[in-house]
Amino acid sequence: GAVVSQHPSRVICKSGTSVKIECRSLDFQATTMFWYRQFPKKSLMLMATSNEGSKATYEQGVEKDKFLINHASLTLSTLTVTSAHPEDSSFYICSARLGAGSIDEQFFGPGTRLTVL
Amino acid sequence: LAKTTQPISMDSYEGQEVNITCSHNNIATNDYITWYQQFPSQGPRFIIQGYKTKVTNEVASLFIPADRKSSTLSLPRVSLSDTAVYYCLVGDDYKLSFGAGTTVTVRA
């Protein structure tokens, strides 16, 4: 299947700093990417839908000014956690959609573990 | 998006067949049924997708009865490396909604 990468895989930062997470589709162009967060032993929660060249669509309860999403190209979406606090510590996972089609054309990245001290 | 219900956990032994049933009573006509696997600290991985009857690939089979109100993921001859969380998703578009999933533990 298609490959999606995330960078960094793990990041530790101090409270109040901003952290940028990159999501790349390595061998295909993704018009749509998605960002999820997952707390320990919990399921994935969709945060936002990232569309190339337009503003991201955020799910209810997700602060768009807190979680900045930029989808600058067909292979790259970035999530910036601004002024991070300990409660933002989580596992952030992106996925990329391969063109239009059925559900199985969505591929997930390996995730980024964020720890805010 | 249709709500799904799965068992929270299942235990098995190496070499056995594992069957996980997912209930989705409110499935819509256009909805597909998709299963993902997730290992700890990794992103989910697509396993199989179906609309009706039976679908089989190299890793699993998916059984869907005629009324489509449930589906069963069948993992043949599991090994220790199949220990993971398995998610059943139902929907007709690309926006995925993950339920709690089923934690499958395979023992030697």
Side-chain angles (χ1 to χ4, degrees):
Chain A
V3 179
V4 175
S5 71
Q6 284 184 237
H7 178 79
S9 58
R10 187 181 295 267
V11 58
I12 301 173
C13 68
K14 293 182 179 180
S15 185
T17 61
S18 294
V19 175
K20 180 185 285 188
I21 303 170
E22 294 185 347
C23 176
R24 293 182 185 272
S25 55
L26 298 184
D27 51 1
F28 67 100
Q29 292 184 330
T31 55
T32 306
M33 290 183 172
F34 304 87
W35 287 96
Y36 298 81
R37 65 187 299 181
Q38 185 175 32
F39 292 107
K41 299 196 182 299
K42 297 294 185 181
S43 188
L44 285 78
M45 290 176 49
L46 180 64
M47 298 175 66
T49 303
S50 170
N51 297 296
E52 187 267 337
S54 63
K55 291 183 178 180
T57 303
Y58 291 81
E59 294 300 303
Q60 190 173 10
V62 178
E63 300 175 58
K64 61 180 181 181
D65 295 330
K66 171 78 172 174
F67 300 98
L68 300 178
I69 293 173
N70 186 348
H71 195 153
S73 75
L74 289 172
T75 60
L76 173 64
S77 175
T78 60
L79 168 69
T80 301
V81 183
T82 62
S83 186
H85 290 282
E87 58 266 29
D88 297 323
S89 297
S90 188
F91 191 52
Y92 291 87
I93 307 170
C94 73
S95 69
R97 186 172 178 231
L98 174 57
S102 59
I103 297 175
D104 66 345
E105 294 179 347
Q106 192 172 143
F107 302 93
F108 286 82
T112 296
R113 176 77 59 193
L114 170 62
T115 302
V116 184
L117 303 177
Chain B
L1 294 171
K3 178 178 167 54
T4 60
T5 303
Q6 304 173 232
I8 295 175
S9 64
M10 296 181 72
D11 288 344
S12 184
Y13 290 92
E14 284 189 292
Q16 290 187 335
E17 178 181 83
V18 172
N19 296 307
I20 310 170
T21 297
C22 177
S23 297
H24 27 81
N25 292 318
N26 296 324
I27 189 169
T29 302
N30 296 330
D31 287 346
Y32 279 77
I33 301 158
T34 310
W35 286 80
Y36 281 85
Q37 174 193 55
Q38 186 183 27
F39 297 113
S41 296
Q42 293 187 28
R45 183 176 73 102
F46 170 86
I47 301 175
I48 198 167
Q49 182 185 69
Y51 183 79
K52 61 179 179 180
T53 63
K54 176 184 175 182
V55 180
T56 297
N57 61 21
E58 62 275 11
V59 298
S61 293
L62 180 60
F63 299 92
I64 306 170
D67 65 6
R68 303 204 323 125
K69 293 184 182 300
S70 68
S71 59
T72 299
L73 175 71
S74 180
L75 306 172
R77 296 179 300 281
V78 294
S79 63
L80 296 176
S81 62
D82 293 315
T83 294
V85 179
Y86 293 82
Y87 295 98
C88 163
L89 286 82
V90 173
D92 69 344
D93 61 20
Y94 55 86
K95 207 168 169 181
L96 301 180
S97 177
F98 285 81
T102 298
T103 299
V104 173
T105 303
V106 180
R107 306 181 193 281

